[in-house]
Amino acid sequence: LFMGLTVSAEEIIRDRKILKRESFLNLSWNSYLMSKLSILFSLSAVQTLSFVVIGNSILEIDGVTFSFWLVLFSTACFANVLGLNISSAFNSAVTVYVMIPLLLIPQMILSGLLFKFEKLNNLISTKGKVPVVADLMASRWAYEAMAVDQFIHNQYNEPFYSFDRDASISDFHSAYLIPELRARNQYVLDHLKSDDDSVKRTVRQDLEMIRAHLAAESYRKGMEGVDPAQLTMQTYTPELGRRFQLYLDDLTAHYQQLYNQQVSTRDKKMAFFEKRGHNLNAEKDAYYNESLADLVRNTSVKDRLIAYRGKLIQQHDPIYQRVIPAGWWDYRAPFFAPEKHLAGLTLETYTFNIGVIWLMAAGCYLALYGEWLRKFVNMFSKVNFPVKRA
């Protein structure tokens, strides 16, 4: 971002007199901008490639040179277009270089690296999902894309990722989610007939959590014929509650079996690789980054499961989570989730995030072509503030 902004920040300011002198010729503004972008994009490609090659060789990061370069190149191109916007809007190079830190600071703060999103103010944060304000930052999309891609697609981890993911999901259900649902179901059974308003509110919230889980769960043995949408305080009987408890016992055994199957299959595949001549310990030392794994798995979190606004939110292992979109255009997901959903499509986080960065660059180009930022600045420059005279 910094390199992309600095190389483009003065481009239009330097040409201001030429543009003004040749304005009567009605030359193509789009052609002028495209000529600038072609040079800037080429320069950014060389800069980011040098940065990745040298940086990865020093840090001994192998196997992700192209994927890292593509993310950083896309981010630099976005910064190029953003830099041309501020170059077009202001007449002074000093003003432009003052603007660059002001543009970079929110990119740093809301990238997800310096501060965890769940620790931001509740007015802008959402538990279990990236805040909308952070989605406006290219740094957030770039950082997540690089971290997720390096963890999933490194040479050591990629063959076993799907097994680890299914094992993590099964372990979370059997060890955390189902016990929580069991406790909440017991609370509902104990207080279903209560007349206390606060207790009834809690019962209603617990029933909402039970209903949401049952609707999302594919394994329904023992709860056949039960429509989750019909589970209300009026229809939820003690008999149905006890039936749900037995269902949770069966569901626990189901997920424990799935967990054992995935771990066994992973171990067999590792043994097969070892027989084929792969030195997995050497590959792990070369490609697997434990600090990165702790980061994308959020291992430092205190509570692995929290209740938030009537929902049970998983806080650990976002890299293994399966996200269920709330609607057709619901792209939002936990930070470091492996995939995103949009318009009925499921895309890998790496691909989706790069697409978002280029979409942001396209939006900045439209603003540049229409000189929206310059018009906005000029609008405020015409405002006369009253001066109080002594």
Side-chain angles (χ1 to χ4, degrees):
L1 282 167
F2 177 74
M3 290 190 296
L5 284 169
T6 52
V7 299
S8 62
E10 284 191 68
E11 286 297 312
I12 295 180
I13 290 178
R14 285 200 297 261
D15 296 344
R16 185 79 68 198
K17 292 181 179 179
I18 299 175
L19 291 171
K20 187 174 183 179
R21 185 170 64 246
E22 297 181 352
S23 60
F24 71 94
L25 296 175
N26 293 322
L27 299 178
S28 172
W29 176 238
N30 182 65
S31 298
Y32 170 77
L33 295 178
M34 284 298 176
S35 67
K36 289 291 184 184
L37 289 178
S38 62
I39 296 173
L40 291 172
F41 283 8
S42 300
L43 181 60
S44 293
V46 175
Q47 285 181 324
T48 51
L49 181 61
S50 303
F51 182 82
V52 170
V53 170
I54 296 173
N56 284 10
S57 63
I58 293 174
L59 298 174
E60 298 183 358
I61 301 175
D62 298 323
V64 290
T65 300
F66 177 76
S67 61
F68 272 24
W69 170 80
L70 184 57
V71 173
L72 295 181
F73 169 66
S74 301
T75 308
C77 290
F78 160 77
N80 290 152
V81 187
L82 184 60
L84 288 180
N85 269 276
I86 62 175
S87 181
S88 172
F90 301 100
N91 296 322
S92 169
V94 175
T95 305
V96 168
Y97 285 110
V98 169
M99 286 293 299
I100 289 178
L102 298 179
L103 292 172
L104 289 177
I105 288 172
Q107 296 280 352
M108 295 166 60
I109 293 175
L110 295 172
S111 66
L113 175 62
L114 298 182
F115 306 101
K116 290 189 175 182
F117 290 132
E118 59 264 23
K119 293 184 179 180
L120 296 177
N121 190 287
N122 289 333
L123 292 175
I124 61 174
S125 67
T126 303
K127 303 296 183 184
K129 292 185 178 180
V130 178
V132 175
V133 65
D135 285 342
L136 302 177
M137 305 296 148
S139 56
R140 162 263 189 276
W141 298 103
Y143 173 49
E144 183 187 42
M146 295 174 70
V148 169
D149 181 74
Q150 184 179 356
F151 179 80
I152 295 178
H153 295 296
N154 69 78
Q155 188 168 320
Y156 168 78
N157 202 46
E158 187 171 20
F160 315 113
Y161 171 77
S162 61
F163 306 113
D164 290 336
R165 184 181 187 184
D166 290 339
S168 173
I169 293 172
S170 300
D171 178 66
F172 170 75
H173 277 75
S174 61
Y176 298 99
L177 181 59
I178 295 176
E180 182 69 21
L181 290 171
R182 185 180 288 111
R184 292 182 180 275
N185 183 61
Q186 189 61 52
Y187 183 90
V188 172
L189 290 175
D190 294 340
H191 301 87
L192 194 58
K193 302 301 181 181
S194 175
D195 295 326
D196 187 276
D197 288 341
S198 62
V199 173
K200 290 171 68 175
R201 189 182 309 112
T202 303
V203 169
R204 194 176 296 109
Q205 290 176 350
D206 289 348
L207 271 176
E208 176 62 30
M209 295 177 189
I210 292 172
R211 184 164 54 242
H213 169 73
L214 194 58
E217 181 58 60
S218 59
Y219 184 87
R220 300 286 289 275
K221 185 178 180 180
M223 293 295 287
E224 299 92 338
V226 177
D227 184 4
Q230 302 301 320
L231 297 181
T232 63
M233 293 183 65
Q234 291 72 33
T235 63
Y236 202 75
T237 63
E239 292 77 17
L240 186 57
R242 287 189 288 271
R243 181 182 173 186
F244 185 70
Q245 289 285 56
L246 294 174
Y247 161 74
L248 290 179
D249 293 338
D250 195 24
L251 189 63
T252 300
H254 168 72
Y255 276 114
Q256 288 174 343
Q257 183 181 9
L258 285 179
Y259 175 83
N260 293 333
Q261 288 176 351
Q262 296 303 319
V263 171
S264 176
T265 305
R266 184 185 191 277
D267 291 343
K268 290 178 181 178
K269 190 168 185 177
M270 293 182 74
F272 174 77
F273 274 47
E274 290 280 5
K275 289 181 179 179
R276 296 290 297 270
H278 288 264
N279 188 339
L280 293 183
N281 288 329
E283 290 185 5
K284 185 174 183 179
D285 290 339
Y287 299 105
Y288 189 81
N289 189 310
E290 292 184 0
S291 295
L292 176 65
D294 291 342
L295 179 72
V296 298
R297 297 191 62 187
N298 200 17
T299 56
S300 63
V301 68
K302 181 180 179 181
D303 299 314
R304 297 198 168 192
L305 182 68
I306 61 170
Y308 179 74
R309 295 184 180 178
K311 296 180 180 180
L312 293 174
I313 306 295
Q314 178 182 348
Q315 295 205 108
H316 86 299
D317 276 1
I319 192 67
Y320 292 133
Q321 288 186 35
R322 284 197 175 93
V323 181
I324 301 176
W328 188 258
W329 298 106
D330 182 26
Y331 67 91
R332 300 180 69 197
F335 198 46
F336 300 129
E339 59 199 20
K340 301 287 194 302
H341 300 271
L342 185 66
L345 300 174
T346 301
L347 299 172
E348 283 194 356
T349 290
Y350 181 82
T351 304
F352 184 91
N353 287 18
I354 289 179
V356 171
I357 294 173
W358 280 104
L359 187 63
M360 295 172 72
C364 286
Y365 180 77
L366 289 177
L368 176 62
Y369 182 79
E371 296 186 278
W372 296 346
L373 183 58
R374 181 171 183 80
K375 293 174 182 177
F376 181 77
V377 172
N378 289 341
M379 180 180 66
F380 276 91
S381 66
K382 296 177 182 178
V383 176
N384 295 319
F385 294 96
V387 178
K388 186 177 180 180
R389 301 189 179 187

